[in-house]
Amino acid sequence: MAKGRLRRRLQAIEDDLTAKPDSALVDHLRIPEKFVSPGRRIVRRLFYALAALFAAVLIVYLDRDGYRDVKETPLTFLDCFYYATVSLSTTGYGDITPYTETARLVNVLVITPLRVAFLIVLVGTTVETLTTASRQALKIQRWRNSVRNHTVVIGYGTKGRTAVAAMVGDGTAPADIVVVDTDQPSLDRANAAGLVTVRGDANKSDVLRLAGAQHAHSI
């Protein structure tokens, strides 16, 4: 009976990783992604923000007769630019307001969504961090459901890199190679080379199962 309890406890320990949801495996299993530099991400966010701003300016300018200025003068392009800026930034001084039904409808259906998009772009770093984790979890789920006939490489030291280079040279796709290692810099290099990586001790059965060893062509 004591041996039975011990066996069940060991089995529970071994199943620890594979029993976790995909979202909890992001730190252990990593699927290669295209690298985008931080500078390019910032430029892309800035482009989206400016695109939303100029779209709002154009929409307001085309319907400028539907807006009222406190000075009771027709809106100029600069006035439209000013209104779009304070509207998208949610400042809203109230000196220029839509007063026709058409202008108000456009504000509800177009300007408000642009305002939301503009704010999302401004907090893009946080949003991108969350979506990156979610995207990686989704990739992990798809990979675990479809991985078959791949090769598991234990360790990405000199011998491991040489073995991977030989396999890739023979025509094996990098995506069909899974590297298991405990050294994070080595895993980072493997991931940068387009390989799927699993962080953990290959002596543990749950780590090997996470690498799909039961479906692998070779280890």
Side-chain angles (χ1 to χ4, degrees):
M1 184 177 296
K3 289 183 178 180
R5 286 198 299 269
L6 179 60
R7 188 180 299 111
R8 285 193 295 271
R9 289 182 62 185
L10 290 175
Q11 182 66 32
I13 293 173
E14 289 184 346
D15 289 341
D16 184 52
L17 271 181
T18 51
K20 288 184 177 181
D22 297 315
S23 58
L25 296 174
V26 174
D27 292 334
H28 299 276
L29 176 61
R30 190 155 51 140
I31 312 299
E33 288 187 301
K34 183 179 179 181
F35 174 76
V36 180
S37 67
R40 181 173 295 182
R41 291 176 182 173
I42 293 174
V43 170
R44 183 186 299 171
R45 292 192 200 114
L46 181 61
F47 172 78
Y48 290 152
L50 291 176
L53 176 60
F54 281 105
V57 172
L58 180 61
I59 291 169
V60 173
Y61 184 74
L62 292 176
D63 191 32
R64 58 190 179 279
D65 293 335
Y67 292 79
R68 178 176 294 162
D69 191 348
V70 291
K71 298 182 296 184
E72 298 293 339
T73 57
L75 264 63
T76 64
F77 182 81
L78 181 59
D79 292 330
C80 296
F81 195 94
Y82 162 78
Y83 173 79
T85 302
V86 298
S87 294
L88 293 190
S89 62
T90 68
T91 306
Y93 294 115
D95 49 349
I96 299 177
T97 56
Y99 74 93
T100 65
E101 291 186 357
T102 301
R104 290 177 177 177
L105 183 63
V106 168
N107 261 262
V108 171
L109 299 180
V110 181
I111 300 299
T112 297
L114 283 175
R115 181 183 299 118
V116 173
F118 187 80
L119 293 176
I120 288 176
V121 170
L122 292 182
V123 294
T125 302
T126 302
V127 173
E128 186 172 0
T129 300
L130 295 175
T131 55
T132 298
S134 300
R135 186 171 61 248
Q136 186 66 205
L138 180 60
K139 284 190 173 186
I140 288 174
Q141 180 184 28
R142 291 176 177 173
W143 181 84
R144 294 181 70 186
N145 291 334
S146 62
V147 61
R148 295 291 186 279
N149 299 321
H150 57 295
T151 300
V152 178
V153 177
I154 309 300
Y156 200 63
T158 302
K159 293 182 179 179
R161 291 196 299 272
T162 302
V164 168
M167 285 186 287
V168 172
D170 289 338
T172 302
D176 291 332
I177 301 174
V178 180
V179 172
V180 179
D181 206 322
T182 56
D183 182 57
Q184 191 58 51
S186 296
L187 293 175
D188 291 339
R189 287 193 294 270
N191 196 256
L195 311 177
V196 177
T197 60
V198 174
R199 182 170 61 86
D201 187 351
N203 291 317
K204 297 181 178 180
S205 60
D206 63 332
V207 173
L208 289 178
R209 282 199 297 271
L210 185 60
Q214 66 275 27
H215 303 300
H217 176 268
S218 60
I219 300 177

